[in-house]
Amino acid sequence: MANLKEVRTRIASVSSTQQITSAMKMVSAAKFRKAQNAIIGMRPYAAQFNEIIGSIGTNDGVQTPYHDIRRADRVLIVVVTSNKGLCGAFNANIIKQASARVEYYRGEKVEHLSMITIGKKATEFFSKQADLVEESHDNLLDAPSFENISALCETIMQRFCQKQYDKVEIIYNQFKNSIQQILSTEQFLPVIPKSEKIGERQENSDFLFEPDKETLLREMVPMALRSDFYRMILDSLAAEHGARMTAMQKATDNATELLKDLKLSYNKARQAAITNEIIEIVSGSEALKS
């Protein structure tokens, strides 16, 4: 059994850690509520936008530069992680999935594979691989705004139209609740109409197109892509704060349990020390009498 000094030191250390994790949990909870409200407010808009765009398929004879499906010789992977850790397996799952996609495309022997990282954890990990990370935009997560995020999206869209990229994938954590995140790998470009994704044509009589489908599509597709890109970043932020809040809650609970065990050990050690002192006193007294 450890001596009293060692146990007291451990109790002080665990108690200090518990205070830190509890404070971090409260901070993450405040950020989580704000991020959750943002993504919940954004999702209906993005979903409706995508439904309208998806209802216009290539069977209508309508094409935009963003629908151009060509051989995937030049692939871009956009990886969205967090700038900070202490959020469980949030970053590890993203990095593992991104690494798997990199290995897949290298196995396919694509002409050029590049990556844009959003989040310091992805930047730190993939920057070790030579000529893979093309750009890093870690600052987007510090103060996320539609203007800054849509500017990056616009750059990616322009490069796709200029055939610098043939295919763009985005890997991120989709927010479900504070406990669970959905690891998502989505094809961002080229745009695949909803009717082609499900393998059949579905007409939606609720939509009336004015002036015509082609004009609307050419105007709305860039808007839909920017809003969808923004939605993915908001999804990742809400998932990050939820994961960190849950991780800090578990850490606080574990610290509480550990403190109980340490205090029990301390009391046992203290009782043993007192008992030994009593025994020594009694033994000394008996020795003097004899």
Side-chain angles (χ1 to χ4, degrees), residues 84-108:
K84 300 177 182 178
L86 299 177
C87 47
F90 178 88
N91 293 311
N93 290 337
I94 290 290
I95 290 173
K96 182 178 179 181
Q97 176 68 7
S99 299
R101 296 304 293 169
V102 168
E103 292 302 319
Y104 168 77
Y105 283 116
R106 284 175 175 170
E108 292 292 314

Side-chain angles (χ1 to χ4, degrees), residues 53 56 62 64 67 213-222:
I53 298 300
I56 308 175
V62 181
T64 70
H67 288 80
K213 291 182 177 181
E214 183 173 359
T215 302
L216 287 176
L217 197 65
R218 291 186 181 278
E219 292 294 329
M220 293 177 68
V221 165

